[in-house]
Amino acid sequence: MNTKKKVGFYTLGCKLNFSETSTIARSFKDEGFDRVDFNDAADIYVINTCSVTENADKRFKTVVKQAQKSNAEAFVVAVGCYAQLKPQELADVNGVDLVLGATEKFKITDYLNDLSKNDLGEIHSCEIEDADFYVGSYSIGDRTRAFLKVQDGCDYKCTYCTIPLARGISRSDELQNVLHNAKEISSKGIKEIVLTGVNIGDYGKGEFGNKKHEHTFLELVEALDKVEGIERLRISSIEPNLLKNETIDVVSKSRAFVPHFHIPLQSGSNAVLKAMRRRYMRELYVDRVIKIKEVMPHACIGVDVIVGFPGETEAQFLETYNFLNELDISYLHVFTYSERANTVAASLENVVPKNIRTKRSKMLRGLSAKKRRAFYEGQIGTNRTVLFESENKEGYIHGFTENYVKVKSPWNPELVNTLHDVALTKIDDDGLVRFDFVKEYSA
């Protein structure tokens, strides 16, 4: 009879959270716990929280209710960014037993001697200044790709962002440890590694718990490219001022790094960028896009943009819209500005009404669809390599080319987690791309 305690995990938010949930899950396994699906009955539920969007706050309560439905007596633990920023708020949610802040989340199993339900949520949360040590992590097991964390925290002071409050100062993993984790991931048959962090272009800083640099992001990219067995490496998101021309050149000639960049812009208006305290002007962003397209014409470039920042006028929004419209980019991630406590932006005047924020967001989402379509159309007739995903989606298997074109084909389990050369042929009604195998492939 299995008397092992069962634990279920739920992750809200970013790729970095997914990699950290996986690491926390492995620590439970080491302590003799069985991991189960979050929808199954478990003794403990761990919810890794996010604080970036208004919606994530609300979703937390829904996830707690979901856990209680599966087992009303289960011990519920909240960790992550929201747990660091507003521990009391989470502890007050009915059903939450334990809230762990930024430094405690990786020592979670130390807190689990007594799994009896608490009348009130117990909080173990540090002052964020104490979050100065680095815990490496990567996610594995539920995807054809793994998220490998190389950096944590942020020293930037963008006026809209709570991440430095939630994750502390910028600090990095040691290069040897990153390479070790990368080898470990590839030895498990995972074909793609996505580098992740809060501000990965800042990699190297804080490798010794101080600001001294031994390695740079460029050196990290060069070293990872030499690791045998890794088929694909992808850079998740990198600040434009930290994406150097040398790095772009290395990626263009690389064995494993794919031609896909995700570069936050946030606004196409220099006045708004200044109010946000971003560390570049729009002209630098244009230079980066031109450089990428010069050495990798087929590269995919994704852009983060925030609409409705306090004081953003209609003219400044249109400046952003026209700037992006003319730029050779492939898709947008559009964020509607939402006020966060303890940020400079929350106290700024000339607040943009919610209905106008929503309208601007819709306009940019429409532009994103148009940009993605144009990018896909430009790829029809080319040969690419596809890595196939593991899910059967209504009778189809999906996959991504190295330059992030999403393709589909009738479901074939033998294709899961394999790489194939294909010729892209046409865009389907749902916007995904159809293809032919370059070499005859038969199941």
Side-chain angles (χ1 to χ4, degrees), residues 17 26 41 47 59 61 69 76 88 94 98 143 169 203 216 278 319 328 345 380 385 417:
N17 271 6
R26 285 195 288 278
I47 304 165
R59 279 188 64 196
K61 288 179 180 165
K69 251 186 208 160
V76 177
Q88 194 58 56
N94 188 28
L98 180 63
R143 288 185 171 79
I169 59 168
Y203 175 80
T216 61
R278 299 292 287 158
E319 210 182 329
D328 191 2
I380 299 302
T385 306
N417 197 32

Side-chain angles (χ1 to χ4, degrees), residues 69-226:
K69 251 186 208 160
S70 302
N71 178 7
E73 295 305 307
F75 194 82
V76 177
V77 188
V79 300
C81 289
Y82 192 28
Q84 175 64 35
L85 286 172
K86 296 188 177 170
Q88 194 58 56
E89 213 167 280
L90 292 195
D92 291 343
V93 172
N94 188 28
V96 173
D97 298 291
L98 180 63
V99 179
L100 298 180
T103 59
E104 288 78 21
K105 63 186 170 194
F106 294 107
K107 300 180 271 187
I108 185 169
T109 52
D110 298 350
Y111 292 97
L112 299 177
N113 301 331
D114 174 19
L115 292 184
S116 51
K117 293 289 285 176
N118 296 329
D119 292 340
L120 292 167
E122 189 183 314
I123 298 171
H124 294 276
S125 180
C126 64
E127 290 304 315
I128 198 60
E129 288 74 26
D130 299 337
D132 58 1
F133 60 90
Y134 184 85
V135 177
S137 52
Y138 59 85
S139 74
I140 226 162
D142 49 349
R143 288 185 171 79
T144 45
R145 62 185 61 85
F147 298 116
L148 171 58
K149 174 179 159 187
V150 298
Q151 182 275 343
D152 200 350
C154 188
D155 292 339
Y156 286 10
K157 301 283 187 283
C158 301
T159 52
Y160 52 81
C161 185
T162 56
I163 295 282
L165 298 170
R167 283 187 171 271
I169 59 168
S170 178
R171 53 210 190 273
S172 308
D173 204 351
E174 291 173 8
L175 185 59
Q176 285 316 113
N177 195 41
V178 174
L179 298 177
H180 168 78
N181 284 343
K183 283 175 190 152
E184 205 167 287
I185 291 166
S186 62
S187 73
K188 292 176 161 62
I190 286 177
K191 301 285 194 290
E192 183 176 305
I193 294 176
V194 183
L195 301 186
T196 183
V198 173
N199 187 358
I200 62 172
D202 212 21
Y203 175 80
K205 191 189 276 186
E207 211 175 334
F208 304 97
N210 56 26
K211 298 297 171 210
K212 201 173 87 178
H213 268 254
E214 180 161 317
H215 298 105
T216 61
F217 184 69
L218 175 63
E219 288 169 334
L220 172 74
V221 167
E222 289 173 328
L224 278 167
D225 200 37
K226 294 188 186 106

Side-chain angles (χ1 to χ4, degrees), residues 271-392:
V272 176
L273 287 173
K274 277 182 185 158
M276 289 175 165
R277 288 194 201 148
R278 299 292 287 158
R279 296 196 175 193
Y280 53 86
M281 292 289 104
R282 57 186 258 164
E283 290 73 16
L284 176 115
Y285 200 93
V286 174
D287 289 348
R288 291 296 177 268
V289 171
I290 289 170
K291 171 67 182 173
I292 291 167
K293 289 293 185 174
E294 207 173 83
V295 293
M296 291 169 273
H298 59 300
C300 177
I301 302 175
V303 185
D304 283 345
V305 61
I306 294 171
V307 297
F309 185 79
E312 181 187 61
T313 63
E314 191 68 20
Q316 286 167 338
F317 168 70
L318 290 173
E319 210 182 329
T320 297
Y321 186 93
N322 294 328
F323 178 72
L324 289 164
N325 193 28
E326 286 158 29
L327 211 53
D328 191 2
I329 52 142
S330 318
Y331 64 90
L332 306 172
H333 279 173
V334 183
F335 298 90
T336 306
Y337 172 76
S338 67
E339 285 77 3
R340 317 306 290 151
N342 302 319
T343 59
V344 174
S347 58
L348 292 179
E349 291 174 356
N350 301 322
V351 172
V352 177
K354 291 261 170 77
N355 62 328
I356 293 176
R357 293 184 213 181
T358 305
K359 182 184 131 211
R360 289 176 185 174
S361 176
K362 269 191 189 147
M363 278 177 73
L364 281 183
R365 284 175 211 273
L367 179 62
S368 179
K370 188 179 107 177
K371 284 283 183 186
R372 194 184 297 268
R373 178 89 189 185
F375 176 62
Y376 281 11
E377 280 170 357
Q379 297 302 306
I380 299 302
T382 65
N383 285 10
R384 295 281 166 243
T385 306
V386 171
L387 173 59
F388 288 98
E389 307 272 319
S390 55
E391 266 181 276
N392 181 341

Side-chain angles (χ1 to χ4, degrees), residues 10-46:
Y10 197 100
T11 307
L12 293 156
C14 64
K15 292 168 182 165
L16 185 55
N17 271 6
F18 275 98
S19 76
E20 291 182 345
T21 299
S22 280
T23 297
I24 293 166
R26 285 195 288 278
S27 74
F28 271 90
K29 201 174 172 195
D30 294 343
E31 295 288 330
F33 285 82
D34 271 347
R35 182 174 182 174
V36 297
D37 191 87
F38 194 81
N39 296 318
D40 295 341
D43 302 288
I44 302 174
Y45 292 101
V46 179

